[in-house]
Amino acid sequence: MGLFDNMVGGILSNMLSKAGTDGAGSLLETVLNGPMGQMLPGLLNSAFAKTPFGSLDGVLEQLQHAGLSDAVASWISNGPNAPVSAEQITAALGADRLGEVATTLGLSADQLPDLLAQHLPTIIDRLSPEGVLNVPGR
């Protein structure tokens, strides 16, 4: 992994781990509404580019193929976001693949499903204000 990859992984890991479970909603809102909010989707997309999913789009496609189409559609459309659990994320994406993603992000494999379940709906919702997913850098 190169220096840039380490830097991206470190920034993303720091942002996601600080979101944690306590007060995560308000921290995530602050991050998404601030200058880092513009960078977070691109950082996520870059991190997933180095995994079997290839991109954030690839992650969403895998979730849809694994039976979470309604949840993903709710994140992209207007209206409330359907929740997903860490167990659903793990079943849909696979523990081994999530381990690869976690390594890329500098997180433990145990943390990533919880963080994705908690924050991915909000991130995708923010990337699709008009009902169309718009990932920076793609």
Side-chain angles (χ1 to χ4, degrees):
M1 193 181 302
L3 179 61
F4 179 74
D5 295 333
N6 287 334
M7 186 176 73
V8 168
I11 290 169
L12 186 57
S13 173
N14 188 25
M15 289 169 59
L16 290 174
S17 63
K18 283 186 179 178
T21 55
D22 297 332
S26 62
L27 178 59
L28 185 61
E29 283 296 315
T30 300
V31 168
L32 290 174
N33 289 324
M36 292 300 287
Q38 300 295 325
M39 293 175 46
L40 181 58
L43 291 174
L44 272 176
N45 204 47
S46 293
F48 285 124
K50 295 168 182 29
T51 70
F53 302 111
S55 66
L56 193 52
D57 288 317
V59 169
L60 296 180
E61 186 176 307
Q62 182 63 34
L63 292 173
Q64 290 169 324
H65 288 303
L68 297 173
S69 293
D70 290 342
V72 172
S74 76
W75 306 341
I76 295 173
S77 67
N78 295 327
N81 294 326
V84 292
S85 68
E87 292 77 19
Q88 288 173 301
I89 294 287
T90 301
L93 302 180
D96 291 341
R97 285 182 167 177
L98 284 171
E100 292 176 42
V101 174
T103 299
T104 300
L105 298 175
L107 298 169
S108 76
D110 294 337
Q111 284 180 301
L112 188 58
D114 288 327
L115 289 171
L116 289 175
Q118 187 172 10
H119 302 298
L120 194 58
T122 302
I123 292 167
I124 298 304
D125 184 62
R126 289 298 181 104
L127 291 174
S128 55
E130 302 298 321
V132 177
L133 187 63
N134 182 19
V135 179
R138 69 168 168 153

